Amino acid sequence: GNPEEQLRSQQFFQVLEACTTQLPANQGRLFLMREWLELSSDEICKELALTPTNLYVQLHRARLRLRACLALTWFMNGSA
């Protein structure tokens, strides 16, 4: 593919990973389990003894924090 596009993609995932590490530990773990490990909500709830409602609230909060972090570190810097 396009080398510039690949570099930009690599840089984006580095920024995303840095933003993920800034999440509260529990939210970061839930986000990684759901989005990167692709575990189902049921699997996560069983493993961590969470209610589905609590899982969705925590994932929503994690996504909001990630969006804010990416807005500051990626999109505002003109990297996009």
Side-chain angles (χ1 to χ4, degrees):
N2 182 342
E4 282 184 33
E5 201 172 293
Q6 286 180 331
L7 176 62
R8 194 169 316 176
S9 178
Q10 259 183 332
Q11 291 170 338
F12 173 78
F13 281 106
Q14 289 172 349
V15 170
L16 177 61
E17 186 175 350
C19 287
T20 302
T21 62
Q22 293 178 15
L23 290 173
N26 203 33
Q27 286 179 6
R29 181 172 57 172
L30 292 173
F31 181 79
L32 292 174
M33 291 173 80
R34 181 72 177 124
E35 302 301 332
W36 283 345
L37 298 177
E38 298 180 350
L39 296 177
S40 71
S41 297
D42 289 338
E43 291 172 312
I44 296 169
C45 288
K46 285 179 186 174
E47 181 153 335
L48 301 178
L50 295 173
T51 65
T53 301
N54 187 258
L55 173 64
Y56 292 122
V57 167
Q58 292 300 318
L59 286 173
H60 176 72
R61 290 177 181 169
R63 290 180 182 119
L64 288 176
R65 287 176 186 242
L66 285 173
R67 183 172 63 184
C69 180
L70 287 171
L72 290 173
T73 58
W74 181 255
F75 297 107
M76 292 293 208
N77 289 333
S79 300

